[in-house]
PDB file of all heavy atoms in Angstrom:
ATOM      1  N   ILE A   1      22.536 172.175  18.205  1.00  0.00           N
ATOM      2  CA  ILE A   1      21.689 172.296  17.023  1.00  0.00           C
ATOM      3  C   ILE A   1      20.798 173.525  17.183  1.00  0.00           C
ATOM      4  O   ILE A   1      20.138 173.673  18.219  1.00  0.00           O
ATOM      5  CB  ILE A   1      20.828 171.033  16.840  1.00  0.00           C
ATOM      6  CG1 ILE A   1      21.727 169.813  16.547  1.00  0.00           C
ATOM      7  CG2 ILE A   1      19.830 171.216  15.706  1.00  0.00           C
ATOM      8  CD1 ILE A   1      20.977 168.504  16.440  1.00  0.00           C
ATOM      9  N   PRO A   2      20.789 174.418  16.213  1.00  0.00           N
ATOM     10  CA  PRO A   2      19.947 175.620  16.321  1.00  0.00           C
ATOM     11  C   PRO A   2      18.483 175.265  16.559  1.00  0.00           C
ATOM     12  O   PRO A   2      17.968 174.282  16.008  1.00  0.00           O
ATOM     13  CB  PRO A   2      20.146 176.313  14.967  1.00  0.00           C
ATOM     14  CG  PRO A   2      21.478 175.830  14.478  1.00  0.00           C
ATOM     15  CD  PRO A   2      21.589 174.415  14.968  1.00  0.00           C
ATOM     16  N   ASP A   3      17.826 176.063  17.374  1.00  0.00           N
ATOM     17  CA  ASP A   3      16.440 175.780  17.728  1.00  0.00           C
ATOM     18  C   ASP A   3      15.495 175.842  16.540  1.00  0.00           C
ATOM     19  O   ASP A   3      14.409 175.260  16.576  1.00  0.00           O
ATOM     20  CB  ASP A   3      15.963 176.762  18.808  1.00  0.00           C
ATOM     21  CG  ASP A   3      16.629 176.500  20.156  1.00  0.00           C
ATOM     22  OD1 ASP A   3      17.158 175.379  20.345  1.00  0.00           O
ATOM     23  OD2 ASP A   3      16.625 177.405  21.010  1.00  0.00           O
ATOM     24  N   ASP A   4      15.895 176.556  15.482  1.00  0.00           N
ATOM     25  CA  ASP A   4      14.994 176.675  14.331  1.00  0.00           C
ATOM     26  C   ASP A   4      15.160 175.552  13.303  1.00  0.00           C
ATOM     27  O   ASP A   4      14.494 175.553  12.272  1.00  0.00           O
ATOM     28  CB  ASP A   4      15.168 178.030  13.642  1.00  0.00           C
ATOM     29  CG  ASP A   4      16.583 178.259  13.121  1.00  0.00           C
ATOM     30  OD1 ASP A   4      17.439 177.361  13.277  1.00  0.00           O
ATOM     31  OD2 ASP A   4      16.842 179.346  12.557  1.00  0.00           O
ATOM     32  N   PHE A   5      16.041 174.576  13.604  1.00  0.00           N
ATOM     33  CA  PHE A   5      16.180 173.433  12.696  1.00  0.00           C
ATOM     34  C   PHE A   5      14.929 172.564  12.809  1.00  0.00           C
ATOM     35  O   PHE A   5      14.538 172.152  13.901  1.00  0.00           O
ATOM     36  CB  PHE A   5      17.420 172.609  13.038  1.00  0.00           C
ATOM     37  CG  PHE A   5      17.585 171.383  12.177  1.00  0.00           C
ATOM     38  CD1 PHE A   5      18.177 171.474  10.928  1.00  0.00           C
ATOM     39  CD2 PHE A   5      17.136 170.137  12.612  1.00  0.00           C
ATOM     40  CE1 PHE A   5      18.326 170.352  10.127  1.00  0.00           C
ATOM     41  CE2 PHE A   5      17.282 169.009  11.820  1.00  0.00           C
ATOM     42  CZ  PHE A   5      17.882 169.125  10.571  1.00  0.00           C
ATOM     43  N   GLU A   6      14.321 172.244  11.682  1.00  0.00           N
ATOM     44  CA  GLU A   6      13.094 171.448  11.679  1.00  0.00           C
ATOM     45  C   GLU A   6      13.382 170.027  11.212  1.00  0.00           C
ATOM     46  O   GLU A   6      13.893 169.810  10.122  1.00  0.00           O
ATOM     47  CB  GLU A   6      12.052 172.084  10.755  1.00  0.00           C
ATOM     48  CG  GLU A   6      10.712 171.368  10.780  1.00  0.00           C
ATOM     49  CD  GLU A   6       9.666 172.046   9.918  1.00  0.00           C
ATOM     50  OE1 GLU A   6       9.940 173.149   9.405  1.00  0.00           O
ATOM     51  OE2 GLU A   6       8.577 171.462   9.761  1.00  0.00           O
ATOM     52  N   SER A   7      13.055 169.070  12.058  1.00  0.00           N
ATOM     53  CA  SER A   7      13.284 167.668  11.716  1.00  0.00           C
ATOM     54  C   SER A   7      12.289 167.190  10.668  1.00  0.00           C
ATOM     55  O   SER A   7      11.102 167.503  10.730  1.00  0.00           O
ATOM     56  CB  SER A   7      13.159 166.800  12.968  1.00  0.00           C
ATOM     57  OG  SER A   7      13.264 165.433  12.647  1.00  0.00           O
ATOM     58  N   LYS A   8      12.789 166.403   9.710  1.00  0.00           N
ATOM     59  CA  LYS A   8      11.951 165.810   8.676  1.00  0.00           C
ATOM     60  C   LYS A   8      12.226 164.314   8.538  1.00  0.00           C
ATOM     61  O   LYS A   8      12.013 163.723   7.481  1.00  0.00           O
ATOM     62  CB  LYS A   8      12.193 166.512   7.334  1.00  0.00           C
ATOM     63  CG  LYS A   8      11.875 168.000   7.344  1.00  0.00           C
ATOM     64  CD  LYS A   8      12.211 168.650   6.010  1.00  0.00           C
ATOM     65  CE  LYS A   8      11.921 170.147   6.032  1.00  0.00           C
ATOM     66  NZ  LYS A   8      12.297 170.803   4.748  1.00  0.00           N
ATOM     67  N   ALA A   9      12.691 163.699   9.619  1.00  0.00           N
ATOM     68  CA  ALA A   9      13.103 162.298   9.568  1.00  0.00           C
ATOM     69  C   ALA A   9      11.924 161.367   9.326  1.00  0.00           C
ATOM     70  O   ALA A   9      10.817 161.601   9.812  1.00  0.00           O
ATOM     71  CB  ALA A   9      13.804 161.917  10.862  1.00  0.00           C
ATOM     72  N   ASP A  10      12.192 160.290   8.589  1.00  0.00           N
ATOM     73  CA  ASP A  10      11.178 159.275   8.318  1.00  0.00           C
ATOM     74  C   ASP A  10      11.428 157.974   9.081  1.00  0.00           C
ATOM     75  O   ASP A  10      10.648 157.042   8.980  1.00  0.00           O
ATOM     76  CB  ASP A  10      11.131 158.960   6.816  1.00  0.00           C
ATOM     77  CG  ASP A  10      10.472 160.073   6.019  1.00  0.00           C
ATOM     78  OD1 ASP A  10       9.632 160.791   6.594  1.00  0.00           O
ATOM     79  OD2 ASP A  10      10.802 160.227   4.833  1.00  0.00           O
ATOM     80  N   GLU A  11      12.537 157.910   9.819  1.00  0.00           N
ATOM     81  CA  GLU A  11      12.837 156.727  10.620  1.00  0.00           C
ATOM     82  C   GLU A  11      13.814 157.122  11.716  1.00  0.00           C
ATOM     83  O   GLU A  11      14.270 158.268  11.777  1.00  0.00           O
ATOM     84  CB  GLU A  11      13.410 155.602   9.744  1.00  0.00           C
ATOM     85  CG  GLU A  11      14.668 155.983   8.971  1.00  0.00           C
ATOM     86  CD  GLU A  11      15.252 154.810   8.191  1.00  0.00           C
ATOM     87  OE1 GLU A  11      15.475 153.756   8.819  1.00  0.00           O
ATOM     88  OE2 GLU A  11      15.485 154.957   6.976  1.00  0.00           O
ATOM     89  N   VAL A  12      14.120 156.176  12.603  1.00  0.00           N
ATOM     90  CA  VAL A  12      14.983 156.472  13.744  1.00  0.00           C
ATOM     91  C   VAL A  12      16.319 157.036  13.272  1.00  0.00           C
ATOM     92  O   VAL A  12      16.765 158.083  13.727  1.00  0.00           O
ATOM     93  CB  VAL A  12      15.222 155.207  14.599  1.00  0.00           C
ATOM     94  CG1 VAL A  12      16.084 155.534  15.809  1.00  0.00           C
ATOM     95  CG2 VAL A  12      13.902 154.607  15.038  1.00  0.00           C
ATOM     96  N   PHE A  13      16.973 156.341  12.361  1.00  0.00           N
ATOM     97  CA  PHE A  13      18.208 156.814  11.743  1.00  0.00           C
ATOM     98  C   PHE A  13      17.945 156.978  10.250  1.00  0.00           C
ATOM     99  O   PHE A  13      17.979 156.013   9.492  1.00  0.00           O
ATOM    100  CB  PHE A  13      19.364 155.841  12.013  1.00  0.00           C
ATOM    101  CG  PHE A  13      19.844 155.856  13.434  1.00  0.00           C
ATOM    102  CD1 PHE A  13      19.191 155.102  14.404  1.00  0.00           C
ATOM    103  CD2 PHE A  13      20.920 156.635  13.817  1.00  0.00           C
ATOM    104  CE1 PHE A  13      19.611 155.120  15.722  1.00  0.00           C
ATOM    105  CE2 PHE A  13      21.349 156.664  15.139  1.00  0.00           C
ATOM    106  CZ  PHE A  13      20.694 155.911  16.095  1.00  0.00           C
ATOM    107  N   ASP A  14      17.663 158.208   9.868  1.00  0.00           N
ATOM    108  CA  ASP A  14      17.287 158.543   8.496  1.00  0.00           C
ATOM    109  C   ASP A  14      18.486 159.202   7.816  1.00  0.00           C
ATOM    110  O   ASP A  14      18.876 160.314   8.188  1.00  0.00           O
ATOM    111  CB  ASP A  14      16.095 159.499   8.525  1.00  0.00           C
ATOM    112  CG  ASP A  14      15.583 159.857   7.132  1.00  0.00           C
ATOM    113  OD1 ASP A  14      16.360 159.762   6.168  1.00  0.00           O
ATOM    114  OD2 ASP A  14      14.408 160.233   7.022  1.00  0.00           O
ATOM    115  N   PRO A  15      19.099 158.550   6.813  1.00  0.00           N
ATOM    116  CA  PRO A  15      20.301 159.109   6.174  1.00  0.00           C
ATOM    117  C   PRO A  15      20.096 160.505   5.594  1.00  0.00           C
ATOM    118  O   PRO A  15      21.008 161.340   5.667  1.00  0.00           O
ATOM    119  CB  PRO A  15      20.617 158.100   5.067  1.00  0.00           C
ATOM    120  CG  PRO A  15      19.940 156.850   5.456  1.00  0.00           C
ATOM    121  CD  PRO A  15      18.736 157.249   6.235  1.00  0.00           C
ATOM    122  N   GLU A  16      18.923 160.773   5.044  1.00  0.00           N
ATOM    123  CA  GLU A  16      18.683 162.092   4.464  1.00  0.00           C
ATOM    124  C   GLU A  16      18.636 163.164   5.548  1.00  0.00           C
ATOM    125  O   GLU A  16      19.190 164.256   5.393  1.00  0.00           O
ATOM    126  CB  GLU A  16      17.378 162.087   3.656  1.00  0.00           C
ATOM    127  CG  GLU A  16      17.419 161.203   2.423  1.00  0.00           C
ATOM    128  CD  GLU A  16      18.584 161.556   1.504  1.00  0.00           C
ATOM    129  OE1 GLU A  16      18.809 162.765   1.254  1.00  0.00           O
ATOM    130  OE2 GLU A  16      19.292 160.627   1.059  1.00  0.00           O
ATOM    131  N   GLU A  17      17.971 162.846   6.646  1.00  0.00           N
ATOM    132  CA  GLU A  17      17.939 163.774   7.775  1.00  0.00           C
ATOM    133  C   GLU A  17      19.332 163.971   8.355  1.00  0.00           C
ATOM    134  O   GLU A  17      19.737 165.098   8.685  1.00  0.00           O
ATOM    135  CB  GLU A  17      17.003 163.231   8.860  1.00  0.00           C
ATOM    136  CG  GLU A  17      16.968 164.047  10.138  1.00  0.00           C
ATOM    137  CD  GLU A  17      16.067 165.263  10.032  1.00  0.00           C
ATOM    138  OE1 GLU A  17      15.664 165.610   8.906  1.00  0.00           O
ATOM    139  OE2 GLU A  17      15.770 165.871  11.075  1.00  0.00           O
ATOM    140  N   MET A  18      20.095 162.898   8.456  1.00  0.00           N
ATOM    141  CA  MET A  18      21.442 162.986   9.013  1.00  0.00           C
ATOM    142  C   MET A  18      22.373 163.788   8.095  1.00  0.00           C
ATOM    143  O   MET A  18      23.251 164.515   8.568  1.00  0.00           O
ATOM    144  CB  MET A  18      21.979 161.585   9.281  1.00  0.00           C
ATOM    145  CG  MET A  18      21.212 160.874  10.405  1.00  0.00           C
ATOM    146  SD  MET A  18      21.508 159.093  10.496  1.00  0.00           S
ATOM    147  CE  MET A  18      23.170 159.055  11.165  1.00  0.00           C
ATOM    148  N   LYS A  19      22.157 163.688   6.787  1.00  0.00           N
ATOM    149  CA  LYS A  19      22.931 164.517   5.853  1.00  0.00           C
ATOM    150  C   LYS A  19      22.627 165.997   6.072  1.00  0.00           C
ATOM    151  O   LYS A  19      23.529 166.847   6.021  1.00  0.00           O
ATOM    152  CB  LYS A  19      22.624 164.115   4.412  1.00  0.00           C
ATOM    153  CG  LYS A  19      23.240 162.791   3.983  1.00  0.00           C
ATOM    154  CD  LYS A  19      22.785 162.398   2.576  1.00  0.00           C
ATOM    155  CE  LYS A  19      23.301 161.016   2.199  1.00  0.00           C
ATOM    156  NZ  LYS A  19      22.778 160.568   0.891  1.00  0.00           N
ATOM    157  N   ARG A  20      21.351 166.317   6.302  1.00  0.00           N
ATOM    158  CA  ARG A  20      20.977 167.710   6.570  1.00  0.00           C
ATOM    159  C   ARG A  20      21.654 168.220   7.836  1.00  0.00           C
ATOM    160  O   ARG A  20      22.166 169.347   7.877  1.00  0.00           O
ATOM    161  CB  ARG A  20      19.459 167.835   6.717  1.00  0.00           C
ATOM    162  CG  ARG A  20      18.672 167.608   5.437  1.00  0.00           C
ATOM    163  CD  ARG A  20      17.163 167.732   5.700  1.00  0.00           C
ATOM    164  NE  ARG A  20      16.820 169.065   6.157  1.00  0.00           N
ATOM    165  CZ  ARG A  20      16.088 169.330   7.235  1.00  0.00           C
ATOM    166  NH1 ARG A  20      15.632 168.333   7.989  1.00  0.00           N
ATOM    167  NH2 ARG A  20      15.816 170.573   7.571  1.00  0.00           N
ATOM    168  N   LEU A  21      21.667 167.388   8.868  1.00  0.00           N
ATOM    169  CA  LEU A  21      22.320 167.768  10.116  1.00  0.00           C
ATOM    170  C   LEU A  21      23.827 167.895   9.933  1.00  0.00           C
ATOM    171  O   LEU A  21      24.459 168.807  10.474  1.00  0.00           O
ATOM    172  CB  LEU A  21      22.005 166.741  11.208  1.00  0.00           C
ATOM    173  CG  LEU A  21      20.633 166.856  11.864  1.00  0.00           C
ATOM    174  CD1 LEU A  21      20.309 165.594  12.652  1.00  0.00           C
ATOM    175  CD2 LEU A  21      20.581 168.081  12.775  1.00  0.00           C
ATOM    176  N   PHE A  22      24.413 166.960   9.181  1.00  0.00           N
ATOM    177  CA  PHE A  22      25.845 167.015   8.920  1.00  0.00           C
ATOM    178  C   PHE A  22      26.200 168.305   8.183  1.00  0.00           C
ATOM    179  O   PHE A  22      27.159 168.997   8.549  1.00  0.00           O
ATOM    180  CB  PHE A  22      26.286 165.799   8.099  1.00  0.00           C
ATOM    181  CG  PHE A  22      27.762 165.780   7.787  1.00  0.00           C
ATOM    182  CD1 PHE A  22      28.649 165.148   8.642  1.00  0.00           C
ATOM    183  CD2 PHE A  22      28.255 166.401   6.650  1.00  0.00           C
ATOM    184  CE1 PHE A  22      30.018 165.143   8.365  1.00  0.00           C
ATOM    185  CE2 PHE A  22      29.619 166.396   6.356  1.00  0.00           C
ATOM    186  CZ  PHE A  22      30.498 165.761   7.221  1.00  0.00           C
ATOM    187  N   GLU A  23      25.439 168.622   7.159  1.00  0.00           N
ATOM    188  CA  GLU A  23      25.715 169.832   6.368  1.00  0.00           C
ATOM    189  C   GLU A  23      25.553 171.098   7.208  1.00  0.00           C
ATOM    190  O   GLU A  23      26.318 172.055   7.063  1.00  0.00           O
ATOM    191  CB  GLU A  23      24.800 169.862   5.153  1.00  0.00           C
ATOM    192  CG  GLU A  23      25.157 168.797   4.108  1.00  0.00           C
ATOM    193  CD  GLU A  23      24.067 168.584   3.076  1.00  0.00           C
ATOM    194  OE1 GLU A  23      23.029 169.286   3.170  1.00  0.00           O
ATOM    195  OE2 GLU A  23      24.253 167.727   2.188  1.00  0.00           O
ATOM    196  N   LEU A  24      24.557 171.091   8.105  1.00  0.00           N
ATOM    197  CA  LEU A  24      24.377 172.226   9.011  1.00  0.00           C
ATOM    198  C   LEU A  24      25.590 172.371   9.920  1.00  0.00           C
ATOM    199  O   LEU A  24      26.138 173.473  10.083  1.00  0.00           O
ATOM    200  CB  LEU A  24      23.110 172.032   9.833  1.00  0.00           C
ATOM    201  CG  LEU A  24      22.843 173.053  10.944  1.00  0.00           C
ATOM    202  CD1 LEU A  24      22.684 174.450  10.367  1.00  0.00           C
ATOM    203  CD2 LEU A  24      21.611 172.652  11.751  1.00  0.00           C
ATOM    204  N   GLY A  25      26.011 171.252  10.527  1.00  0.00           N
ATOM    205  CA  GLY A  25      27.185 171.286  11.392  1.00  0.00           C
ATOM    206  C   GLY A  25      28.432 171.708  10.639  1.00  0.00           C
ATOM    207  O   GLY A  25      29.258 172.482  11.141  1.00  0.00           O
ATOM    208  N   TYR A  26      28.567 171.199   9.401  1.00  0.00           N
ATOM    209  CA  TYR A  26      29.736 171.536   8.579  1.00  0.00           C
ATOM    210  C   TYR A  26      29.802 173.045   8.324  1.00  0.00           C
ATOM    211  O   TYR A  26      30.864 173.664   8.454  1.00  0.00           O
ATOM    212  CB  TYR A  26      29.680 170.781   7.258  1.00  0.00           C
ATOM    213  CG  TYR A  26      30.911 170.957   6.398  1.00  0.00           C
ATOM    214  CD1 TYR A  26      31.970 170.048   6.475  1.00  0.00           C
ATOM    215  CD2 TYR A  26      31.027 172.025   5.514  1.00  0.00           C
ATOM    216  CE1 TYR A  26      33.104 170.208   5.698  1.00  0.00           C
ATOM    217  CE2 TYR A  26      32.148 172.198   4.737  1.00  0.00           C
ATOM    218  CZ  TYR A  26      33.190 171.283   4.830  1.00  0.00           C
ATOM    219  OH  TYR A  26      34.315 171.456   4.062  1.00  0.00           O
TER     220      TYR A  26
END
């Protein structure tokens, strides 16, 4: 994960945050 990615999670497993990570990886 790039060092400049900023987490915005609201819970341990946050679907919106995970979508952002998925899209970044994609």
Side-chain angles (χ1 to χ4, degrees):
I1 295 176
D3 290 341
D4 60 1
F5 177 83
E6 184 177 353
S7 175
K8 300 177 181 178
D10 286 333
E11 57 176 307
V12 182
F13 288 83
D14 183 336
E16 294 305 315
E17 175 81 347
M18 293 165 73
K19 286 175 185 175
R20 291 179 62 230
L21 281 165
F22 180 91
E23 290 166 1
L24 174 62
Y26 186 93

